[in-house]
Amino acid sequence: MRTPDGVSYTEQVDVFSTWAYVRQQYLNEIASTAGTTLKDTITFVIRYDQPQEIDTSMAIKWNGAVYQIVKANPDLANKQWTTLIVRKQ
């Protein structure tokens, strides 16, 4: 979107809400991701079939914080779950 002055900006809009399982990392996983692109990430597991396709331009609001989607891994074989790797903004 653009302001009347022509400056670009993004507006957050709620797309949908869904059930999610928040997978906590074990200590060895936290240590192994230190210094990598997965540092400080959280994993959300949601149902595969959602009202809209998930992509990395989306964010998740959870517990009063906003998390940017780093990677979405859909279960293409069984079509049961999609795993979302997210990082707090």
Side-chain angles (χ1 to χ4, degrees), residues 5-17:
D5 299 333
V7 177
S8 294
Y9 71 96
T10 57
E11 183 178 347
Q12 289 187 356
V13 178
D14 289 343
V15 178
F16 62 89
S17 64

Side-chain angles (χ1 to χ4, degrees), residues 6-68:
V7 177
S8 294
Y9 71 96
T10 57
E11 183 178 347
Q12 289 187 356
V13 178
D14 289 343
V15 178
F16 62 89
S17 64
T18 189
W19 168 92
Y21 166 72
V22 182
R23 185 181 171 282
Q24 300 298 318
Q25 289 185 333
Y26 295 105
L27 184 57
N28 64 340
E29 292 174 318
I30 294 169
S32 69
T33 60
T36 69
T37 58
L38 295 179
K39 182 181 179 198
D40 298 329
T41 59
I42 297 175
T43 302
F44 286 83
V45 179
I46 63 172
R47 292 193 173 115
Y48 176 85
D49 189 26
Q50 294 297 325
Q52 187 167 343
E53 187 174 337
I54 309 290
D55 64 48
T56 57
S57 70
M58 296 177 169
I60 294 174
K61 285 194 267 184
W62 180 63
N63 280 350
V66 177
Y67 296 84
Q68 185 64 44

Side-chain angles (χ1 to χ4, degrees), residues 65-80:
V66 177
Y67 296 84
Q68 185 64 44
I69 297 174
V70 176
K71 184 158 180 65
N73 296 316
D75 175 12
L76 298 175
N78 298 317
K79 297 186 178 182
Q80 290 184 338

